[in-house]
């Protein structure tokens, strides 16, 4: 049996050695136990819970190191610290879906303050029991980065709105001296649209004398990390 789990940064392949999850309920040695050693080779937390009672029946080595010993405990209590079934649990959907894997992304675990992608499926277990297999991929760092980027974008939008509404003329140049932004006040003062000012550049808005000052004094001073103060004439 080969199974692939797609994580944000990882691809995990289940080993094929002696792993047969189809079970004969009358077998003293159930076929599914051949999978347990293979599960340990995954390297990501994986647990198996009873489909009816939510009792954890097995956890692999990675889960033991990450979650501690949770066998015999209710999965929602042991993993999420909840007294009842988790609000975002897809247990019912997994039961309906049978043996196919289901993926839920960016599930937040408040007890751990972490985000996970969860891969779940229904399997047979000893004594004819049905069980839910769940493999967890930690995507906390990726989600925190998304949140940080969203907050940064929000701050930039607020700063941009403030700069654009300022009464003073404000503009920005890139490291090559090209105009990349002018606020509305500068556009109004020059009698041109912001798009036109950006297109014609500093050469199109300054007198020759002022252009020399901008290129030879203003830009070099700012690039050196210092502040430049002075006057230039625009046309």
């Amino acid at each position: 049996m080969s199974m692939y789990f797609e994580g944000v940064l990882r691809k995990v392949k289940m080993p094929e050695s002696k792993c047969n999850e189809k079970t004969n309920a009358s077998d003293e040695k159930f076929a599914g136990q051949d999978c347990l050693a293979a599960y340990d080779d995954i390297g990501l937390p994986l647990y198996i819970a009873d489909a009816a009672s939510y009792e954890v029946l097995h956890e692999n080595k990675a889960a033991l190191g990450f979650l501690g010993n949770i066998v015999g405990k209710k999965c929602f209590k042991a993993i999420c610290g909840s007294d009842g079934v988790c609000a975002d649990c897809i247990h019912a959907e997994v039961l309906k879906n049978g043996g196919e894997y289901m993926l839920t992304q960016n599930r937040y675990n408040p007890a751990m303050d972490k985000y996970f992608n969860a891969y779940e499926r229904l399997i047979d277990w000893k004594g004819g029991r049905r069980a839910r297999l769940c493999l967890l991929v930690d995507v906390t760092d990726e989600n925190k980065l998304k949140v940080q980027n969203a907050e940064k974008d929000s701050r930039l939008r607020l700063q941009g709105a403030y700069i654009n509404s300022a009464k003073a003329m404000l503009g920005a140049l890139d490291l090559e001296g090209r105009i990349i932004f002018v606020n509305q006040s500068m556009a109004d003062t020059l009698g041109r649209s912001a798009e036109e000012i950006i297109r014609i550049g500093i050469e199109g808005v300054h007198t020759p004398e002022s252009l020399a000052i901008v290129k030879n004094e203003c830009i070099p001073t700012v690039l050196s990390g210092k502040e430049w103060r002075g006057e230039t004439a625009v046309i």
Side-chain angles (χ1 to χ4, degrees):
M1 178 193 68
S2 294
M3 295 181 286
Y4 290 88
F5 301 95
E6 294 289 345
V8 173
L9 298 175
R10 304 182 64 176
K11 177 183 248 186
V12 182
K13 182 178 180 182
M14 286 284 289
E16 299 182 15
S17 59
K18 299 182 180 180
C19 194
N20 179 4
E21 289 176 344
K22 293 184 177 180
T23 300
N24 183 337
S26 63
D27 288 347
E28 182 68 24
K29 179 180 179 182
F30 71 110
Q33 71 182 10
D34 289 334
C35 295
L36 302 187
Y39 293 151
D40 277 337
D41 292 333
I42 295 176
L44 291 172
L46 177 149
Y47 70 90
I48 298 170
D50 186 276
S53 67
Y54 297 88
E55 175 191 351
V56 177
L57 305 172
H58 176 77
E59 62 181 328
N60 68 355
K61 290 179 181 178
L64 180 63
F66 185 67
L67 301 170
N69 186 359
I70 62 173
V71 173
K73 302 176 182 178
K74 302 290 186 181
C75 59
F76 51 79
K77 182 68 173 179
I79 298 172
C80 299
S82 175
D83 292 327
V85 178
C86 302
D88 59 353
C89 181
I90 62 167
H91 186 85
E93 289 81 356
V94 172
L95 296 184
K96 293 177 183 177
N97 201 45
E100 296 298 319
Y101 278 96
M102 297 186 68
L103 165 64
T104 52
Q105 295 181 299
N106 302 321
R107 291 179 63 178
Y108 180 63
N109 185 318
M112 300 181 186
D113 190 26
K114 288 182 176 293
Y115 289 87
F116 295 95
N117 285 353
Y119 298 81
E120 303 180 62
R121 66 171 294 194
L122 192 66
I123 64 171
D124 293 311
W125 194 252
K126 186 176 182 178
R129 301 165 77 177
R130 300 293 274 163
R132 177 173 51 88
L133 178 151
C134 180
L135 180 138
L136 301 173
V137 179
D138 188 347
V139 292
T140 303
D141 290 343
E142 291 81 2
N143 275 274
K144 286 184 176 180
L145 182 60
K146 289 179 182 178
V147 171
Q148 290 170 356
N149 287 338
E151 292 175 345
K152 181 179 179 181
D153 289 343
S154 178
R155 288 195 300 270
L156 289 175
R157 284 194 294 270
L158 289 174
Q159 291 170 357
Y162 169 77
I163 290 172
N164 200 46
S165 63
K167 293 182 178 180
M169 291 193 299
L170 298 172
L173 307 178
D174 65 13
L175 296 180
E176 302 299 324
R178 294 183 292 259
I179 298 175
I180 57 175
F181 170 80
V182 295
N183 70 348
Q184 192 59 48
S185 180
M186 179 175 286
D188 293 342
T189 301
L190 297 180
R192 304 172 185 266
S193 69
E195 292 76 13
E196 183 183 3
I197 296 171
I198 291 173
R199 179 177 57 81
I200 63 178
I202 58 176
E203 292 82 2
V205 298
H206 287 94
T207 64
E209 294 80 7
S210 290
L211 181 61
I213 294 174
V214 171
K215 287 186 173 182
N216 300 326
E217 297 180 22
C218 176
I219 293 177
T221 300
V222 173
L223 289 178
S224 70
K226 299 177 182 179
E227 179 181 340
W228 182 85
R229 291 176 178 269
E231 294 183 359
T232 60
V234 295
I235 55 176

